[in-house]
Amino acid sequence: MTYCIGLKVDEGLVFLSDSRTNAGVDHINTFRKMTIIEIAHERVLVLLTSGNLAISQAVLHELSNSDVHALEAAPNMIAAARAVGDALRRVYARDAESLQNFGLDFAASFILGGQIGNKPVSLFQIYAAGNFIEATTDTAYFQIGEAKYGKPILDRVIEPSTSLNDAAKCSLISMDSTIRSNLSVGMPLDLLIYQTNSLQVKNHVNIHHDDAYFQHLRSDWGNHLREAFHNLPDTPY
Amino acid sequence: MTYCIGLKVDEGLVFLSDSRTNAGVDHINTFRKMTIIEIAHERVLVLLTSGNLAISQAVLHELSNSDVHALEAAPNMIAAARAVGDALRRVYARDAESLQNFGLDFAASFILGGQIGNKPVSLFQIYAAGNFIEATTDTAYFQIGEAKYGKPILDRVIEPSTSLNDAAKCSLISMDSTIRSNLSVGMPLDLLIYQTNSLQVKNHVNIHHDDAYFQHLRSDWGNHLREAFHNLPDTPY
């Protein structure tokens, strides 16, 4: 499995992905699930992928198949989301029947976000069918993959006015909860923080097991949670 | 959907269930999912059900079909778990094919826990196939239904040495996280706290929307969480 988050707040976007792919617990590999397209001072787009790895990779090949990468050529974010959807549909046309012969679903889900020129920052979730939805102020984030474990903390903290730093911190806690509860989501992590109108990738880090901040965050959060728990009033029942 | 938790700690057992059943969001009903068998000073058994409501109810009918309720007659907890599994298999034999004709899975999952006489307290999870597993010191709890949202807090807090009161409090927080993130899990709640060797139901409450303690717990926990979150160090990335 996979767990990826794309968050949209007033200050910009946060993207976080794990890097574990598996076909059964005895076959676990590490693949990056974050693709970054940057033309400095012109555009930054980030694509997160989940689902069948062969499908995800085929979609990435489709996007980079021409002389110019489809996400570099797209005139705006809607066109970029459509390009991903169209690539998914071409892969479906080629592969879905063969997958079905082996009882495999055509499972794929993508998060695409970024900014092109002076147009607004956008965030999309793209489904296996190639259709997509866009984040609004009501839904400030999208999750793909193993989403449920890490949802409660996002629901409690994230609002449009949340700072980029808090949004990044919250996404890391959401990821930590997921990694603790589900073996199929694992380190290292890819974190990218995009500040609106910067049109550059300034904050992209690869977080490994021995990352001091993430280790500190995990143990601190665990301690704070247990402390908060023990400060709650006892049940009267 | 449903969310039910059965927790086993050194001091005893905690059972918590919601009461929402639904077939699509326009068809939501409230049914109790907790069945209690009590013969004072002799046995206490609690059965939590999730899955297709017709199957759950058919299993309960099967168990109470004879002169003596199967869970009142069982000589020990293993026999009680087997009685539930056998009832499930009889319902499967009768209903599974017809359900399949309408594209419906035979979906059912149960948690059974309790104590009979001076034998040890036991907790089981029983699958749709009628087979079951028993809680050990390594797995101190079982969840059925919409389990993922509320799992991280259980993983962080529950140990065999956790007090019954803390176990009950933790189960309520786990339920709160689930209710917030998933529309198909809802109030009122059934909470039962069983103290080892009491062989009586002393603490069984029905918790409604206006329950002062649960309201207080929800808002307190939310505040503590946000406070804990803001006390965490900022990301260096």
Side-chain angles (χ1 to χ4, degrees):
Chain A
M1 273 300 275
T2 293
Y3 179 43
C4 300
I5 314 167
L7 282 156
K8 186 186 168 197
V9 291
D10 294 341
E11 291 182 11
L13 299 166
V14 173
F15 302 90
L16 181 67
S17 58
D18 83 315
S19 56
R20 178 133 334 150
T21 67
N22 72 302
V25 283
D26 59 342
H27 190 108
I28 291 181
N29 284 307
T30 297
F31 285 96
R32 288 189 61 182
K33 294 162 191 175
M34 184 182 286
T35 302
I36 302 164
I37 303 288
E38 179 186 19
I39 304 176
H41 311 300
E42 200 275 322
R43 73 179 58 201
V44 170
L45 285 92
V46 179
L47 184 65
L48 305 176
T49 62
S50 84
N52 182 310
L53 182 64
I55 296 174
S56 302
Q57 290 190 346
V59 168
L60 296 177
H61 285 304
E62 283 288 328
L63 290 170
S64 60
N65 213 10
S66 318
D67 292 347
V68 186
H69 194 290
L71 298 184
E72 289 184 357
N76 54 55
M77 287 300 298
I78 285 272
R82 269 195 208 122
V84 177
D86 290 346
L88 259 162
R89 286 167 184 174
R90 290 195 295 276
V91 175
Y92 183 89
R94 194 168 57 221
D95 291 351
E97 197 181 326
S98 300
L99 288 174
Q100 211 171 15
N101 292 340
F102 288 82
L104 297 169
D105 285 337
F106 188 85
S109 189
F110 295 74
I111 291 173
L112 174 72
Q115 187 174 24
I116 296 178
N118 53 9
K119 299 189 183 77
V121 161
S122 307
L123 184 70
F124 299 93
Q125 175 163 359
I126 304 160
Y127 300 107
N131 56 339
F132 52 85
I133 54 173
E134 183 172 359
T136 60
T137 48
D138 293 329
T139 50
Y141 66 87
F142 291 129
Q143 304 167 287
I144 53 176
E146 203 45 86
K148 292 183 179 183
Y149 303 106
K151 190 168 187 293
I153 186 67
L154 297 175
D155 283 338
R156 283 190 197 266
V157 171
I158 300 298
E159 291 172 8
S161 62
T162 305
S163 73
L164 265 183
N165 205 304
D166 276 357
K169 204 163 74 173
C170 190
S171 70
L172 288 170
I173 291 169
S174 173
M175 180 63 79
D176 175 41
S177 296
T178 308
I179 289 175
R180 275 175 199 277
S181 292
N182 192 303
L183 187 68
S184 71
V185 176
M187 309 281 288
L189 311 176
D190 262 324
L191 173 69
L192 191 149
I193 304 171
Y194 175 74
Q195 194 160 9
T196 301
N197 296 330
S198 68
L199 295 172
Q200 278 185 76
V201 176
K202 289 182 194 156
N203 303 99
H204 172 222
V205 284
N206 203 252
I207 301 173
H208 288 267
H209 268 294
D210 54 0
D211 181 277
Y213 173 73
F214 190 59
Q215 280 188 347
H216 188 56
L217 190 75
R218 299 185 83 166
S219 67
D220 247 35
W221 178 243
N223 293 338
H224 281 323
L225 267 193
R226 276 184 287 270
E227 198 184 301
F229 177 79
H230 289 296
N231 285 338
L232 291 173
D234 281 347
T235 66
Y237 311 124
Chain B
M1 273 303 274
T2 292
Y3 180 42
C4 299
I5 314 167
L7 283 156
K8 186 186 167 197
V9 292
D10 295 341
E11 291 182 12
L13 299 166
V14 173
F15 301 91
L16 180 67
S17 58
D18 82 315
S19 56
R20 178 130 338 146
T21 67
N22 72 301
V25 282
D26 57 344
H27 189 107
I28 290 181
N29 284 308
T30 297
F31 284 96
R32 288 189 63 182
K33 293 162 190 174
M34 184 182 285
T35 302
I36 303 164
I37 302 289
E38 179 186 19
I39 304 176
H41 312 301
E42 201 274 322
R43 72 178 59 200
V44 170
L45 285 91
V46 179
L47 184 65
L48 305 176
T49 62
S50 84
N52 182 310
L53 182 64
I55 296 173
S56 302
Q57 291 190 345
V59 168
L60 296 178
H61 285 305
E62 284 288 328
L63 290 171
S64 59
N65 213 9
S66 318
D67 292 345
V68 186
H69 193 290
L71 298 185
E72 290 185 358
N76 53 55
M77 287 300 299
I78 286 270
R82 268 195 207 124
V84 177
D86 290 346
L88 258 162
R89 286 167 184 174
R90 289 196 295 278
V91 175
Y92 183 89
R94 193 167 58 220
D95 291 351
E97 197 181 327
S98 301
L99 287 174
Q100 212 171 15
N101 292 340
F102 288 82
L104 297 169
D105 285 337
F106 188 85
S109 189
F110 295 74
I111 291 172
L112 174 72
Q115 187 174 24
I116 296 178
N118 54 10
K119 299 189 183 78
V121 162
S122 307
L123 184 69
F124 300 93
Q125 175 164 359
I126 303 159
Y127 300 107
N131 56 338
F132 52 84
I133 54 173
E134 183 173 359
T136 60
T137 48
D138 294 329
T139 51
Y141 67 86
F142 291 128
Q143 304 166 286
I144 53 177
E146 203 45 86
K148 293 183 179 183
Y149 303 106
K151 189 168 187 293
I153 185 67
L154 297 174
D155 283 339
R156 283 188 197 268
V157 171
I158 299 299
E159 291 173 7
S161 62
T162 305
S163 73
L164 265 183
N165 204 304
D166 276 357
K169 204 162 75 173
C170 190
S171 70
L172 288 170
I173 291 169
S174 174
M175 180 64 78
D176 175 42
S177 296
T178 308
I179 289 174
R180 275 176 198 276
S181 292
N182 192 303
L183 187 67
S184 72
V185 176
M187 309 279 290
L189 311 177
D190 262 323
L191 173 69
L192 191 150
I193 305 171
Y194 175 75
Q195 194 159 10
T196 301
N197 296 330
S198 68
L199 295 173
Q200 279 185 77
V201 176
K202 289 182 193 157
N203 303 99
H204 172 223
V205 284
N206 202 251
I207 301 173
H208 288 267
H209 267 294
D210 54 1
D211 182 277
Y213 173 73
F214 190 58
Q215 280 188 349
H216 188 56
L217 190 76
R218 299 184 82 165
S219 68
D220 248 35
W221 178 243
N223 293 337
H224 281 324
L225 267 194
R226 275 183 289 270
E227 199 183 301
F229 177 79
H230 289 295
N231 285 337
L232 291 173
D234 282 347
T235 66
Y237 311 124

